Amino acid sequence: MRHFFTLLACVVISLTAASAQSFDDTFKDVTLRIDYIFAGNATQQIIAVDEFARFDVWAGRRVNLDSVPVRGNGEVKLIDAESGATLYRNSFSSLFQEWLSTDEAKTEVKSFEFTQLVPMPKRAAIVETTLFNNKGEVQASARHKINPDDKLIRDLNSRAAAPHEYLLKSGSSQECIDIVIMAEGYTAEEMDVFMRDAQTAYEEIVSYEPFSSHKHRFNFIAVKAASKQSDVSVPQNGEWKQTAVNSNFMTFYSPRYLTTNSVHLIHDNLTGIPCEHLIILANTDTYGGGGIYNSYTLTTAHNPYFKPVVVHEFGHSFGALADEYFYDTPDEHTEGFYSLDYEPWEQNITSLVNFESKWKDMLRKGEEIPTEPTAKREKRYTVGVYEGGGYMTKGMYRPAVVCRMRDNVATQFCPVCQRAIERIILYNTEPQSKKE
């Protein structure tokens, strides 16, 4: 019996030590950059590594390393090669997975770039990358071994960092979340314009709760990536430009959807600059934008709706929030985006399949489900369960009549979105109990 208790005590001590393990015990202060190619069609997908690279300093999360706050449409894991323990996890979404829901993906094969930054492990590890469909089922998965001393991991430390300035520096990269605001479609002669636009974007974002209350947890950095030509590509007008990251409207033939597939080029411009989340400002007055969770926000800087749109798109890329608007007639891009027999992972929409995991705890006692919208509720941003959201008029529900994730007239995020964003802020800066 004494031997049993001695063994049990050793196990408890071992588990306690493992749970208290610090970033420095497991990782170097080095970033491992993994450039991927995601390719395939609606039937079959593959994940291929294009290149591994490294550069000094890790600017990402140093707490809650082996778990994620929300699932996302994809996940990367670092797994210790010897013990099999999960060392690091991060969730994301990608433009490739959005494309898979289009009609084009049923007949064509395409490839999309993607880049993931992870901390460099101190000893051999397995990097496992997984893509999920809209029911949370695995679409594609790949495993690759990482040896931190591998001579073929490209060393990027000799590359000069792009010109950049801090708009806000609240602390070191170890203490704060680093947000980069990057120029797109600004020539070298237009960098004064870009700096004014970047300042506007930063000030607008931190004017919204919960960013305002947690401003001290952020650094904002403006990166002056110069383009050969001014403005960006607008294919619907027959305009193609040579710009810093090759962005264009008409993504998936949607006129307002502004994205880029030159993701590796984006990260070439960011080498040596602390970056956890990215906002790309396009030097154009054409309306539109796009935001992809843990990938990037890309939005236009000279349209009258610049301020609300940059906050909305950052709600996607940083806050993992869904669009709360909906269409009477879904277009090709949005029609198959969500499945009504599965609970979406975004925290601000629900199919009611597992509403307990969303904002049910925030409803007033006796609140009807679904909730009938009224003018009074709209003015108070009252939390309810309002039908219409995630591009769908029926079967998908949102938490408020008006919210920054639905309307350009909204002056704030609804309470549910605020809570979701705050959870991610705290998850990236403070130790949390395990969510998954």
Side-chain angles (χ1 to χ4, degrees):
M1 183 66 72
R2 181 177 179 183
H3 174 74
F4 171 78
F5 282 116
T6 302
L7 178 61
L8 179 62
C10 290
V11 170
V12 170
I13 292 170
S14 176
L15 290 175
T16 302
S19 65
Q21 190 177 42
S22 70
F23 174 90
D24 293 330
D25 292 332
T26 308
F27 297 102
K28 300 180 181 182
D29 191 18
V30 172
T31 296
L32 173 63
R33 170 180 161 180
I34 311 171
D35 285 347
Y36 290 105
I37 300 294
F38 297 160
N41 55 26
T43 303
Q44 186 175 12
Q45 304 84 36
I46 64 168
I47 299 168
V49 170
D50 185 56
E51 186 177 53
F52 294 113
R54 61 184 293 157
F55 54 90
D56 289 344
V57 182
W58 168 248
R61 187 170 85 242
R62 289 174 179 255
V63 295
N64 310 308
L65 293 169
D66 61 351
S67 55
V68 294
V70 294
R71 181 177 60 79
N73 287 326
E75 179 181 85
V76 62
K77 281 184 184 180
L78 281 179
I79 301 167
D80 185 78
E82 183 177 331
S83 69
T86 298
L87 305 176
Y88 176 82
R89 289 175 67 190
N90 198 26
S91 53
F92 61 84
S93 294
S94 71
L95 193 61
F96 173 62
Q97 290 161 285
E98 290 188 24
W99 176 75
L100 291 176
S101 68
T102 68
D103 285 342
E104 186 181 44
K106 297 174 183 177
T107 59
E108 303 294 328
V109 174
K110 283 192 172 183
S111 66
F112 289 72
E113 295 182 0
F114 192 78
T115 293
Q116 188 67 229
L117 305 180
V118 300
M120 180 68 81
K122 287 188 173 180
R123 62 184 189 179
I126 305 296
V127 56
E128 181 180 85
T129 305
T130 305
L131 305 181
F132 305 104
N133 65 16
N134 64 0
K135 292 188 177 182
E137 300 163 339
V138 174
Q139 284 182 302
S141 186
R143 290 165 66 96
H144 304 275
K145 191 167 185 178
I146 296 294
N147 181 346
D149 299 320
D150 189 340
K151 300 301 182 184
L152 291 181
I153 298 177
R154 185 180 295 276
D155 191 331
L156 302 179
N157 285 305
S158 61
R159 289 188 183 179
H164 58 283
E165 294 181 22
Y166 277 84
L167 303 171
L168 171 70
K169 190 165 187 179
S170 300
S172 70
S173 292
Q174 295 185 20
E175 301 166 319
C176 298
I177 302 169
D178 294 296
I179 310 296
V180 161
I181 302 178
M182 182 180 180
E184 164 67 342
Y186 297 81
T187 64
E189 294 73 27
E190 294 175 309
M191 284 304 150
D192 287 346
V193 177
F194 164 68
M195 288 302 296
R196 290 195 293 271
D197 294 341
Q199 184 72 26
T200 298
Y202 146 65
E203 290 177 352
E204 188 67 12
I205 288 169
V206 298
S207 72
Y208 279 71
E209 289 292 356
F211 295 111
S212 181
S213 294
H214 293 283
K215 183 177 174 181
H216 62 286
R217 298 177 188 265
F218 288 91
N219 296 327
F220 280 79
I221 308 164
V223 175
K224 305 174 186 179
S227 295
K228 291 182 179 179
Q229 293 180 286
S230 185
D231 212 309
V232 296
S233 297
V234 189
Q236 60 264 43
N237 297 337
E239 299 173 4
W240 289 94
K241 303 283 187 174
Q242 296 183 62
T243 57
V245 297
N246 301 319
S247 69
N248 64 271
F249 287 91
M250 288 289 286
T251 302
F252 312 149
Y253 297 96
S254 177
R256 298 188 306 178
Y257 199 12
L258 174 65
T259 66
T260 176
N261 192 32
S262 297
V263 177
H264 301 167
L265 181 58
I266 289 174
H267 287 273
D268 287 345
N269 281 279
L270 298 178
T271 300
I273 301 171
C275 178
E276 292 179 71
H277 294 273
L278 174 63
I279 300 167
I280 305 171
L281 297 186
N283 182 23
T284 180
D285 60 4
T286 303
Y287 178 75
I292 305 170
Y293 175 51
N294 272 346
S295 186
Y296 60 76
T297 277
L298 211 170
T299 191
T300 62
H302 298 146
N303 184 273
Y305 290 107
F306 167 40
K307 290 181 179 181
V309 171
V310 72
V311 176
H312 172 95
E313 300 300 349
F314 196 57
H316 290 310
S317 69
F318 180 89
L321 299 174
D323 283 315
E324 294 181 16
Y325 54 82
F326 47 92
Y327 303 111
D328 292 333
T329 305
D331 62 21
E332 178 196 342
H333 168 221
T334 60
E335 189 170 10
F337 207 76
Y338 293 104
S339 174
L340 291 180
D341 59 355
Y342 182 81
E343 186 66 40
W345 55 266
E346 296 96 333
Q347 295 299 293
N348 63 322
I349 59 173
T350 179
S351 60
L352 298 181
V353 170
N354 183 16
F355 184 44
E356 288 75 13
S357 68
K358 297 301 176 67
W359 64 90
K360 188 173 184 179
D361 63 312
M362 297 179 70
L363 295 178
R364 294 181 301 181
K365 186 176 181 180
E367 186 68 83
E368 293 184 352
I369 301 176
T371 309
E372 188 66 28
T374 65
K376 183 177 180 180
R377 292 178 184 277
E378 180 175 329
K379 290 179 181 178
R380 295 176 58 193
Y381 289 78
T382 306
V383 175
V385 188
Y386 304 96
E387 191 163 29
Y391 320 120
M392 307 173 75
T393 57
K394 299 293 182 181
M396 195 66 74
Y397 302 84
R398 67 191 188 279
V401 178
V402 177
C403 176
R404 171 88 331 273
M405 296 312 296
R406 182 188 178 197
D407 310 88
N408 282 333
V409 299
T411 58
Q412 63 190 61
F413 288 104
C414 72
V416 170
C417 289
Q418 288 190 36
R419 183 174 73 170
I421 294 170
E422 184 172 54
R423 282 174 171 173
I424 288 181
I425 293 172
L426 296 178
Y427 202 88
N428 281 274
T429 55
E430 293 183 0
Q432 305 283 303
S433 59
K434 297 292 178 65
K435 299 290 191 296
E436 290 193 9

